[in-house]
Amino acid sequence: MKLKDGIPRHAQITNWLRTQIEAGEFKPDEKLPSENELAKKFDVSRVTIRRALQSLESESIIYRCQGLGSFVSDERAPHNLIRLTDFNEDMAKAGLKASSEVRDFITVDAPDWLAGILEIEEGTKVIRIDRLRLGDGEPVAFDSTWLPILYGQLLDKENLGETTIYRQLEENYDIPIVRGCYRMTAEIADDQLASDLKVPKNSPLLLIDRTSFTIGGKAVYYQKRFYRSDKVIYEMTLERNQNDPTSTEMPLKEFVPVFKSQ
């Protein structure tokens, strides 16, 4: 293919690849031609091809795996969970407008399983918040969050439709969320979740249990979030311990949730 004069070559290649992807010539998760193949096709250097691919990656049109190549990202945008983020930050990085519908904001007795997590006495009053989480107005997840009264009473229920627990505590009360512990399992949608998330009953869901902590290791809240499996996947990058070639340890380098837009 002959490139035009007067227009940066990498920009032309970016536009050509984008057009091919939008036209369906390259399918979701399909590997693109290699840098060498593209360089030969357009008669340019690999540096030029790399710049073109970087542009597509920054737009979340493709994703790249070191040593494997570039792949079509199926309209999904990645965020890095090595840095602790909240739902609104995740949605913003995915190019989606986040909002929430607060279904419940009530005071309940802490069950025995929760008392140990939040380091409180069984039966202690806690705040439970149930929210339907939306991306561009479409259901993405449903979560239930439990907070000790100390933190729960600080939250503005009305503002939770547009902001997050993280944001309210950090900006209004200087209570930072500094650490989160996650556990991921698979679940199926019961009648209520199916109705809320607009999926068929017994559809597969991704359940994330998370405990968030502030300074001093104090647990601020425990949360169960059910993600629609057609809206999010998780990708993990592991790095072999290069200091010890005989080691089989694979330390976590990057842990990325990938959200799919409509």
Side-chain angles (χ1 to χ4, degrees), residues 104-147:
D104 275 314
F105 191 109
I106 58 177
T107 301
V108 298
D109 295 332
D112 55 355
W113 60 266
L114 179 65
I117 295 174
L118 295 181
E119 298 181 350
I120 57 178
E121 295 293 328
E122 182 181 348
T124 299
K125 298 294 183 182
V126 296
I127 300 294
R128 193 190 83 206
I129 304 170
D130 293 339
R131 291 172 293 176
L132 179 64
R133 318 306 292 271
L134 308 171
D136 283 352
E138 288 296 317
V140 172
F142 187 95
D143 57 47
S144 295
T145 308
W146 292 263
L147 305 93

Side-chain angles (χ1 to χ4, degrees), residues 111-215:
D112 55 355
W113 60 266
L114 179 65
I117 295 174
L118 295 181
E119 298 181 350
I120 57 178
E121 295 293 328
E122 182 181 348
T124 299
K125 298 294 183 182
V126 296
I127 300 294
R128 193 190 83 206
I129 304 170
D130 293 339
R131 291 172 293 176
L132 179 64
R133 318 306 292 271
L134 308 171
D136 283 352
E138 288 296 317
V140 172
F142 187 95
D143 57 47
S144 295
T145 308
W146 292 263
L147 305 93
I149 291 290
L150 172 67
Y151 300 114
Q153 66 184 357
L154 301 177
L155 301 177
D156 184 335
K157 174 184 176 181
E158 300 304 320
N159 285 340
L160 284 176
E162 299 300 328
T163 187
T164 64
I165 294 173
Y166 275 20
R167 190 64 55 86
Q168 288 196 26
L169 292 178
E170 292 183 348
E171 293 186 353
N172 298 338
Y173 301 100
D174 293 324
I175 301 174
I177 304 299
V178 299
R179 180 167 60 90
C181 295
Y182 291 73
R183 183 181 67 178
M184 284 178 279
T185 53
E187 282 286 346
I188 60 172
D190 59 19
D191 288 331
Q192 188 60 55
L193 284 170
S195 175
D196 288 329
L197 293 174
K198 296 183 180 179
V199 297
K201 182 181 177 181
N202 295 327
S203 293
L205 303 174
L206 177 63
L207 170 60
I208 297 183
D209 296 84
R210 177 172 66 182
T211 307
S212 293
F213 300 86
T214 188
I215 296 171

